[in-house]
Amino acid sequence: QKEVEQDPGPLSVPEGAIVSLNCTYSNSAFQYFMWYRQYSRKGPELLMYTYSSGNKEDGRFTAQVDKSSKYISLFIRDSQPSDSATYLCAMTPNTGTASKLTFGTGTRLQVTL
Amino acid sequence: DGGITQSPKYLFRKEGQNVTLSCEQNLNHDAMYWYRQDPGQGLRLIYYSQIVNDFQKGDIAEGYSVSREKKESFPLTVTSAQKNPTAFYLCASSRERGNIQYFGAGTRLSVL
């Protein structure tokens, strides 16, 4: 079983919809959680970075962490065709020299007109 | 502009050939990483380096080699021992290991 599970999709939604992307994980030591967006044939770019449990909002994006359930989510409001990309979750036990990032396999999102 | 530059964008390898992928960063980051991305498998760590002249193997280091002679540069060599080198290779850097990682645009390697 992988440490981080992520539904590969593809997930297709109409423009303007609310999108929910999710990851589950098994390692209770994970403390820092990230969401990256990757366009086709490009490198991942950081979208959201959260520590421990709770919500964080940035524009149309909201990241949610539920450590008790080992479950993280990324919500995209008013989705746009430009949001069509693969979304990767990543997590680590702590920052500093003793940890590394563990990535999900990515969810491919398509926002249609 | 600060960032991570990977070159070339596309690379082709012949049988038995070693090829080197370049990664340069001007973010003054201490740590650098190489990942391999295959469809359906996510990012897998090949090598990482926390400081100059020091690097460690990641999860899939066999058939790869790296050097870190300068803080800004972390080249990856795909050797002939790597039997399945076709993949998208991503270089990343962070202020320290485990912190937020920033990625380059990637190099797509194919076998002729």
Side-chain angles (χ1 to χ4, degrees):
Chain A
Q1 187 184 1
K2 293 179 181 177
E3 266 192 300
V4 178
E5 299 278 358
Q6 188 174 7
D7 188 328
L11 178 62
S12 184
V13 302
E15 184 180 8
I18 296 174
V19 176
S20 172
L21 303 166
N22 312 296
C23 287
T24 59
Y25 62 94
S26 57
N27 186 348
S28 58
F30 287 142
Q31 298 259 33
Y32 294 84
F33 304 90
M34 293 152 232
W35 284 96
Y36 286 86
R37 177 175 61 194
Q38 185 176 23
Y39 291 112
S40 182
R41 300 179 184 274
K42 302 289 186 185
E45 57 178 320
L46 182 71
L47 273 180
M48 302 288 282
Y49 175 73
T50 54
Y51 169 68
S52 195
S53 286
N55 291 1
K56 184 174 182 179
E57 188 174 319
D58 184 2
R60 296 186 295 113
F61 298 92
T62 299
Q64 195 172 77
V65 175
D66 182 350
K67 289 189 69 182
S68 62
S69 301
K70 297 191 182 69
Y71 188 87
I72 69 170
S73 300
L74 177 70
F75 297 96
I76 307 174
R77 291 184 298 280
D78 187 25
S79 56
Q80 304 294 311
S82 58
D83 294 328
S84 298
T86 296
Y87 290 80
L88 301 161
C89 64
M91 46 199 80
T92 182
N94 51 48
T95 59
T97 58
S99 65
K100 67 173 186 178
L101 289 183
T102 301
F103 286 85
T105 54
T107 299
R108 190 156 63 90
L109 171 68
Q110 186 166 5
V111 181
T112 58
L113 290 170
Chain B
D1 270 337
I4 302 171
T5 302
Q6 289 188 242
S7 62
K9 192 171 181 179
Y10 300 97
L11 187 58
F12 297 91
R13 194 190 90 167
K14 294 180 183 177
E15 193 74 32
Q17 187 182 41
N18 292 353
V19 292
T20 297
L21 285 61
S22 170
C23 178
E24 303 276 332
Q25 56 98 359
N26 59 6
L27 299 169
N28 199 32
H29 285 170
D30 289 311
M32 297 187 74
Y33 315 79
W34 274 105
Y35 292 91
R36 170 180 173 142
Q37 188 175 34
D38 296 278
Q41 293 202 48
L43 275 67
R44 292 184 290 167
L45 183 64
I46 304 172
Y47 268 98
Y48 63 93
S49 168
Q50 295 175 240
I51 55 172
V52 174
N53 293 323
D54 184 56
F55 48 83
Q56 286 81 41
K57 293 181 179 180
D59 301 320
I60 55 164
E62 187 174 347
Y64 301 97
S65 66
V66 293
S67 62
R68 186 87 186 275
E69 296 177 3
K70 299 187 299 182
K71 187 176 184 178
E72 302 79 22
S73 179
F74 191 41
L76 173 74
T77 296
V78 183
T79 75
S80 57
Q82 173 50 245
K83 297 307 179 188
N84 184 23
T86 297
F88 191 48
Y89 290 87
L90 288 160
C91 178
S93 70
S94 66
R95 281 187 300 150
E96 55 190 2
R97 182 169 178 248
N99 209 325
I100 297 171
Q101 294 183 18
Y102 298 90
F103 286 84
T107 293
R108 188 163 299 276
L109 176 62
S110 302
V111 177
L112 286 175

